[in-house]
Amino acid sequence: MTSAAHHDNPDDHTAAGSPPHGETMQALLLGTEAAQLLEISRNHPGRDIARLVGDPLIDRMSHLTGLDIWVGDNSLATHPVNDGASRFLAALLQAVLVGDYTASEHDRAHVARLVRNPGWAPVIAGPALVTGVDDNGDTCPLPEAFTSWLHRMFRQASDAQQAAVNEVLGQLPQVLRQLGLSPERELGGITIFDLP
């Protein structure tokens, strides 16, 4: 099971003087239905984090330098397992192991120890929020290593989805023939093309 490292309030760990880049910063919400990039407060992220994870008390999971995953303090007891977030964390840790995510040797060794432990599995319950964290423990924008990996992952998922659609569309004329229909007549007005 994944559990948070400790109770924390990110408002206690926010860079003083804050933002040359505005009042908000981007974070990734791993909801129970979908994931989305959204903006949270740079000056008082704790309020947004608590609201988004659905718990006034929040916990921080820190498996990688520069990255925090925030969950509700009682999420394992009060929420169902968030399969999407759990798979997301597993994919992130696997990317670190195979070198698809730029990480330090220390982070790779930490992830390898986690994965080798037979009693550990990446389980997140309820919604989770991914933010950056700086060397002082201050909540900050998502790190470049994470956003680069995230964009590559979304691009690969989109390419796989497009390939599946193309395969189905390529089989459609044969399916129509098997049903005794004329593909030329049924598909006559439809133009099929690949999107970039």
Side-chain angles (χ1 to χ4, degrees), residues 26-40:
Q26 207 169 49
L28 176 66
L29 177 63
L30 302 171
T32 54
E33 300 294 320
Q36 65 180 15
L37 286 168
L38 45 77
E39 298 289 321
I40 64 169

Side-chain angles (χ1 to χ4, degrees), residues 152-162:
R152 283 193 312 274
M153 189 181 80
F154 283 150
R155 193 168 41 252
Q156 289 168 355
S158 176
D159 291 349
Q161 184 178 31
Q162 185 62 45

